[in-house]
Amino acid sequence: EDQVTQSPEALRLQEGESSSLNCSYTVSGLRGLFWYRQDPGKGPEFLFTLYSAGEEKEKERLKATLTKKESFLHITAPKPEDSATYLCAVQQTGSARQLTFGSGTQLTVLP
Amino acid sequence: DVKVTQSSRYLVKRTGEKVFLECVQDMDHENMFWYRQDPGLGLRLIYFSYDVKMKEKGDIPEGYSVSREKKERFSLILESASTNQTSMYLCASSFARVTGYTFGSGTRLTVV
């Protein structure tokens, strides 16, 4: 069974304190790994797609990396507006069109 | 940008009522999905559709049905609402097989 596990469940950082969120996955074959940001009471917002081990994507203070078993979302010098829940999801190879999501990491950045 | 619109942000329904949640996307996406999101459980797939009149069960289809009569519209139906269906419901769409989703803003349903 496909599994996606995110850690930690919650993370509190001071403004400017860099850190990383982890997403480990077990799938029979990975087509893509996706990162989303979700603000309270809203739908998830797409951040990145990673397709193969070694790939990296960046957007402002966020950088996503991928290995064969896990992905990291690195947050450099975070600001309070980066506070949100970050979701990881995987899509397996074959005919599957759906994504399997992790439970998310709730990030709070304190001023 | 693709827009996915869910008809209601908040709904309060009584136990036993039939409930319709509507979702419309405006970019001709072939795939549409319904998830529910609960604290500690993450997003769980209820149903999805990859073409008009086609539907596939997700991980938790019990108590739900869906309808896709037009490509842009995907409806989730709770045949007889129960309190354990109180949740945030998220609709999403995607193009082809290798892209991620675009989500709607969600409908927070409370069944009393």
Side-chain angles (χ1 to χ4, degrees):
Chain A
E1 181 180 325
D2 298 345
Q3 276 203 310
V4 182
T5 303
Q6 291 188 246
S7 61
E9 289 186 15
L11 181 63
R12 291 167 68 92
L13 300 173
Q14 290 295 133
E15 184 172 1
E17 180 187 0
S18 301
S19 188
S20 297
L21 313 182
N22 177 262
C23 171
S24 62
Y25 61 91
T26 53
V27 293
S28 53
L30 181 71
R31 169 173 282 148
L33 185 140
F34 303 83
W35 282 99
Y36 288 85
R37 170 193 170 124
Q38 186 175 23
D39 293 303
K42 296 187 177 181
E45 176 186 344
F46 172 77
L47 292 174
F48 304 109
T49 308
L50 301 166
Y51 294 106
S52 57
E55 190 174 0
E56 298 182 352
K57 295 272 180 74
E58 282 189 71
K59 180 180 179 180
E60 296 180 356
R61 294 176 292 282
L62 300 177
K63 179 179 172 182
T65 62
L66 181 65
T67 72
K68 289 189 177 180
K69 293 185 178 181
E70 57 191 352
S71 177
F72 292 93
L73 184 65
H74 306 277
I75 303 174
T76 302
K79 298 182 178 182
E81 53 262 42
D82 294 321
S83 297
T85 296
Y86 290 86
L87 298 169
C88 167
V90 299
Q91 186 178 39
Q92 68 175 18
T93 55
S95 61
R97 299 165 190 253
Q98 66 268 35
L99 304 185
T100 300
F101 284 83
S103 295
T105 293
Q106 185 174 1
L107 174 66
T108 303
V109 182
L110 304 170
Chain B
D1 284 349
V2 177
K3 192 169 183 180
V4 178
T5 303
Q6 295 184 231
S7 54
S8 303
R9 291 298 306 275
Y10 301 95
L11 276 179
V12 180
K13 296 292 181 180
R14 295 194 179 278
T15 301
E17 276 193 78
K18 190 169 186 175
V19 181
F20 293 84
L21 303 183
E22 306 286 346
C23 176
V24 177
Q25 50 94 3
D26 66 359
M27 273 300 281
D28 203 35
H29 280 183
E30 58 188 46
N31 305 314
M32 296 189 75
F33 308 84
W34 277 106
Y35 283 81
R36 64 177 282 177
Q37 185 174 32
D38 301 287
L41 297 176
L43 277 81
R44 294 179 291 167
L45 180 64
I46 304 172
Y47 268 97
F48 66 101
S49 168
Y50 53 88
D51 202 352
V52 176
K53 297 191 184 295
M54 303 298 289
K55 61 184 178 184
E56 295 275 351
K57 292 181 180 179
D59 299 320
I60 52 164
E62 296 79 18
Y64 303 94
S65 62
V66 290
S67 172
R68 194 167 181 198
E69 297 296 319
K70 293 185 178 181
K71 191 174 185 179
E72 68 270 19
R73 187 179 297 270
F74 192 36
S75 302
L76 180 69
I77 303 154
L78 286 67
E79 297 290 343
S80 177
S82 64
T83 55
N84 63 12
Q85 293 179 309
T86 292
S87 186
M88 169 71 100
Y89 289 87
L90 290 163
C91 175
S93 71
S94 71
F95 177 70
R97 291 184 181 179
V98 292
T99 60
Y101 299 165
T102 299
F103 281 91
S105 297
T107 296
R108 185 163 295 280
L109 173 67
T110 302
V111 182
V112 297

